[in-house]
Amino acid sequence: MSQFLIEAKEADVIGSGILSQEEQQRVFAPLEKAETLPARCFFDPEFFAAEREEIFKKRWVALTFEAVVAQLNAAYPCEIADIPVLVTRDGEGCLRTFLNISPFDRAPIVMEPRSGCSNIEASYHGFVYNFDGSLRQAPYWSGRKDCSAQDMGAHALDLVPLASAVWRGIVFVNGSSNPPSFSEFIAPLEERLTGFDLSNLAIGLTELSDRPDIDRLEMGGNWKTVFENACMNVYHEGFVHDAYRKSPDVPRVTEDGQRTFEPVNDRGLTGLIFDEDHSSETYQALPLPKILMRDGSQSTQRLILSLYPNLFFSVLGEHVNATILRPLGSENSEMMMAKFFDRSVAQCEEQAVMRLLVREGWRQAGNEDAAIVRGIQKGRRAFPNATGCFAPFWDSAHHSFTKMVASDLGANSMPEDLK
């Protein structure tokens, strides 16, 4: 039996959410000898709680799409890794983010999306906030309806702001008191997009309304399982996905075993870059305007990329697919997917069928991934301390991702004398 895949290994504390020194050494070993995180790290609530504190509060994370709060005087509640967040847009169009938690009673400020309102009224006790998060009124605080923030004295607390940034239609947040540079965080992805002209792209509308078409898909597994299965995992394509299985372009190697793609593993950015010539039988060409380069030429380059910890971003000929990975507790997650097209396509009723074809193609792939993710989740639960290994030809990025998770949770790199 394989010691990696079958035998459960002893750890210091099962289910504690803490990696033992031996487990850390296995993770940080050279790729050929390294092992994955123990299986329990993919379902243990305490491990997930540590990830929430050390990854999803301290790093820049993709939260939602700007289009969901496009209207003025709007408030939109959402969550990331069980952290309630409120996105607002005031009458002048300024977008802000706050914890969606009342400093007074810990209740949610807003429970359903709102628009066209003059202020933000809290759901539980009716406190009234301005769109900049400042407390305006506290009705009946001392018995009178017109009680102001001043009447509350030291109890008058504003909403807790979160650092935020909007990049290419995606809203990012950071929950730390001293957030790192967003420009440095996004730089690896932005650098790969240099030369592409994405300025005229917009999220496609649904076929039956003028709402942005943002598709949601529950994956049935831990967020890390979804992330390691996505853009960085080229190895699985022809075995899991019907379209890839039928394509002569897959697996992405020549007859003599040379890659037909450029693997990407750069400062938290992972995935692959490839040429149209090596994918023409895999991705259906559609009669839609192509994404152009800034010099007006057509690019034959295609990108399928992930940015740690929770964004997938693909540039594929006629559209961009952006996916936000949302952890839903320790054993489930959701993908929020939006397709960006040239504006002549995104907002055109006559192109609704084309947009639907693109959407359904991504949804089919997502459903195929979700099926295997659910299976992996079940397998990991069976042997909580078992680990897996890496395929050196394919899995350098997967190894880097694993080390990033471990490092964020305080693990140390493997000592030189143990390599």
Side-chain angles (χ1 to χ4, degrees):
M1 293 185 182
S2 166
Q3 63 171 335
F4 293 112
L5 301 178
I6 301 298
E7 296 178 2
K9 296 177 178 174
E10 294 295 324
D12 291 343
V13 183
I14 295 178
S16 69
I18 301 172
L19 292 175
S20 71
Q21 188 63 39
E22 182 181 359
E23 289 167 339
Q24 293 179 42
Q25 292 170 1
R26 291 169 180 159
V27 166
F28 285 97
L31 177 59
E32 294 77 9
K33 299 178 181 180
E35 300 178 21
T36 65
L37 293 169
R40 71 177 188 279
C41 301
F42 296 82
F43 61 81
D44 176 15
E46 291 189 39
F47 195 90
F48 176 70
E51 291 176 330
R52 183 175 60 240
E53 296 301 315
E54 301 300 326
I55 299 176
F56 290 94
K57 286 185 179 179
K58 293 184 178 180
R59 284 189 175 270
W60 284 102
V61 294
L63 176 69
T64 189
F65 295 98
E66 186 182 17
V68 304
V69 63
Q71 293 179 295
L72 300 180
N73 297 318
Y76 177 79
C78 50
E79 289 188 1
I80 185 70
D82 293 346
I83 304 166
V85 179
L86 181 64
V87 185
T88 69
R89 189 183 294 278
D90 64 21
E92 297 180 353
C94 180
L95 186 144
R96 298 181 178 89
T97 55
F98 306 92
L99 283 179
N100 190 24
I101 301 172
S102 167
F104 170 66
D105 52 32
R106 314 310 294 172
I109 298 296
V110 174
M111 299 182 69
E112 297 291 339
R114 303 176 187 173
S115 62
C117 40
S118 58
N119 50 53
I120 302 170
E121 182 179 297
S123 300
Y124 194 23
H125 286 105
F127 289 9
V128 178
Y129 297 88
N130 297 309
F131 278 94
D132 63 3
S134 60
L135 180 63
R136 178 194 294 184
Q137 291 177 302
Y140 302 103
W141 172 260
S142 58
R144 303 189 325 273
K145 181 179 181 179
D146 61 348
C147 288
S148 67
Q150 287 72 27
D151 294 321
M152 294 184 68
H155 298 289
L157 299 174
D158 298 334
L159 298 182
V160 178
L162 297 175
S164 61
V166 178
W167 177 86
R168 300 194 182 278
I170 304 166
V171 179
F172 293 82
V173 293
N174 183 283
S176 60
S177 57
N178 186 25
S181 165
F182 179 78
S183 60
E184 291 182 9
F185 159 74
I186 206 69
L189 179 52
E190 189 65 65
E191 289 166 12
R192 296 289 177 169
L193 299 176
T194 299
F196 285 96
D197 183 5
L198 306 181
S199 62
N200 198 43
L201 302 186
I203 293 180
L205 303 181
T206 61
E207 59 271 20
L208 298 177
S209 73
D210 59 356
R211 293 182 294 105
D213 187 4
I214 298 173
D215 199 12
R216 295 173 180 263
L217 181 63
E218 278 201 33
M219 299 303 290
N222 181 272
W223 72 274
K224 297 186 297 299
T225 304
V226 179
F227 195 97
E228 66 190 14
N229 171 76
C231 309
M232 71 172 72
N233 192 335
V234 182
Y235 196 6
H236 83 288
E237 292 176 329
F239 304 102
V240 172
H241 299 293
D242 186 60
Y244 288 90
R245 189 182 303 116
K246 295 174 181 178
S247 172
D249 300 324
V250 177
R252 298 178 191 264
V253 290
T254 62
E255 290 185 0
D256 60 349
Q258 300 300 307
R259 296 185 183 92
T260 59
F261 64 96
E262 173 194 346
V264 176
N265 188 6
D266 175 25
R267 294 166 288 169
L269 184 72
T270 55
L272 65 152
I273 298 175
F274 52 95
D275 194 89
E276 183 181 49
D277 292 343
H278 293 134
S279 60
S280 58
E281 299 295 325
T282 307
Y283 305 103
Q284 180 183 4
L286 298 174
L288 297 174
K290 303 292 184 184
I291 294 175
L292 299 178
M293 306 303 288
R294 290 179 180 175
D295 63 7
S297 64
Q298 287 192 12
S299 174
T300 61
Q301 193 178 74
R302 306 290 182 260
L303 296 78
I304 300 179
L305 302 170
S306 303
L307 185 61
Y308 182 82
N310 74 324
L311 177 68
F312 308 143
F313 197 88
S314 300
V315 182
L316 294 175
E318 306 92 1
H319 73 282
V320 164
N321 180 70
T323 296
I324 296 171
L325 176 60
R326 298 179 59 244
L328 303 175
S330 60
E331 294 203 67
N332 198 7
S333 51
E334 177 189 69
M335 296 200 305
M336 291 176 58
M337 300 177 283
K339 318 298 178 292
F340 291 76
F341 302 90
D342 184 271
R343 291 183 186 277
S344 65
V345 175
Q347 302 167 357
C348 177
E349 184 176 349
E350 287 74 19
Q351 297 286 7
V353 173
M354 291 292 102
R355 297 196 300 270
L356 182 61
L357 282 175
V358 174
R359 175 188 181 183
E360 291 307 306
W362 281 99
R363 174 159 272 271
Q364 178 180 338
N367 282 327
E368 291 165 342
D369 281 329
I372 199 68
V373 164
R374 289 192 294 270
I376 294 170
Q377 192 71 23
K378 182 180 292 186
R380 281 173 165 154
R381 261 205 164 278
F383 293 94
N385 292 313
T387 60
C389 60
F390 299 98
F393 181 85
W394 299 98
D395 285 340
S396 175
H398 184 187
H399 187 215
S400 294
F401 166 70
T402 303
K403 290 188 291 184
M404 290 187 75
V405 172
S407 294
D408 279 352
L409 299 187
N412 298 312
S413 60
M414 188 176 183
E416 288 294 328
D417 60 350
L418 293 179
K419 290 184 180 179

